[in-house]
Amino acid sequence: MSSLRLVVLTCLLALWSAASFAQESPYFVTYTHYLEEPGNLEIGLLNTTGVPKHGNAVYHAPWLELEYGVTGWWTAELYVEGITTTRDGGGFTGWRSEHRFRPLRGEHRVNPLLYVEYEDLNEASRIQKEIVGSGGLEFEPIASLRRHHVRELEAKLVLSSAVGGWNASENVTFEKNLSEAEGVEFGYSVGVSRPLGALARGANCRLCRENFVAGVELYGGLGSTLGFGAGDQRHYVAPALAWGLTDKSLLKVSVGTGLTEASDRFLVRLGWTYELPLRGRQ
């Protein structure tokens, strides 16, 4: 654990010199309390590239996000995902329907958010938007994994704080496989981030520090009601960076390092999002 603390501390010190502006999240796994603006549709194209251990095939898991601000306290999202590998094949891996609810108005010292998601996936899914339970990924031909379908219900408790330009968020995940008797699986993620510059200046400068947000995530599985399985859990630490390309589009990247034997060696994530106001529907 001492080496893990050193990695996290190093990432936090690298962020220290930043100042405050409207927060954009560089996270891929951790959720904050911020919701989509009512009437806005955010379109996201993202990908997780996994570099496994033991000579297993590198994989790329792309997904499409459609996020809509239903009201000021409710955001709905649809995911469609797939998989391709260097030698084990590829294909469609399923879809997810996500809903996030913010019960309290205004900003508080700790802002809670409730999250629920229904997943219709197959065993080839590897986008790893969350990591729960114990055990590593299955490295079999994708065609074989796609024959095994699972339906899962997932819930999260999100606690998020914004202090002096910093964001600190903690997520606890509960996931139940509705297709098999696997108990309830648990996971977590923690994120800390901060802009690298002060409020935007008058000039149009896309490479200026105020358009970048840096952070770090720590996430992994915590076993299930059937067993803790500490030796088989997957845990990652992942520095992340977001770049505001325009007022409506964002590019972000993250490189996660596996901390346990069950983890992949690296998880490289890349994402682009674009916010589209849908007039007349607010």
Side-chain angles (χ1 to χ4, degrees), residues 23-93:
Q23 180 74 65
E24 294 286 353
S25 172
Y27 310 139
F28 283 83
V29 176
T30 308
Y31 284 84
T32 71
H33 64 287
Y34 299 108
L35 298 178
E36 187 58 61
E37 289 291 330
N40 282 6
L41 175 68
E42 184 177 273
I43 303 169
L45 298 174
L46 306 99
N47 182 77
T48 297
T49 294
V51 182
K53 300 172 183 174
H54 311 301
N56 290 306
V58 172
Y59 58 87
H60 307 280
W63 74 95
L64 168 69
E65 289 184 10
L66 299 174
E67 179 178 282
Y68 182 68
V70 183
T71 69
W73 52 268
W74 173 20
T75 289
E77 193 160 1
L78 175 67
Y79 297 77
V80 180
E81 61 177 84
I83 179 72
T84 182
T85 68
T86 53
R87 61 173 181 268
D88 292 337
F92 175 68
T93 57

Side-chain angles (χ1 to χ4, degrees), residues 94-152:
W95 60 274
R96 309 169 186 232
S97 176
E98 171 192 301
H99 301 269
R100 307 198 306 276
F101 305 96
R102 185 170 173 180
L104 301 180
R105 293 184 178 183
E107 289 289 323
H108 303 270
R109 179 169 297 180
V110 178
N111 300 280
L113 184 140
L114 304 177
Y115 165 116
V116 62
E117 179 178 84
Y118 175 77
E119 305 172 356
D120 190 331
L121 308 171
N122 57 58
E123 294 289 354
S125 173
R126 293 183 187 171
I127 71 172
Q128 299 178 83
K129 276 287 290 179
E130 68 286 321
I131 296 177
V132 296
S134 302
L137 297 174
E138 296 290 338
F139 290 99
E140 300 177 14
I142 297 302
S144 175
L145 293 173
R146 290 181 63 216
R147 287 196 288 266
H148 301 280
H149 289 266
V150 294
R151 292 175 174 83
E152 297 176 326

Side-chain angles (χ1 to χ4, degrees), residues 131-135 152 173-177 180-188 220-235:
I131 296 177
V132 296
S134 302
E152 297 176 326
T173 304
F174 310 85
E175 186 172 280
K176 174 65 175 130
N177 187 337
E180 297 182 17
E182 294 184 347
V184 177
E185 296 183 301
F186 307 111
Y188 74 97
L222 292 174
S224 72
T225 53
L226 300 182
F228 186 64
D232 296 325
Q233 293 173 6
R234 289 176 288 153
H235 299 275

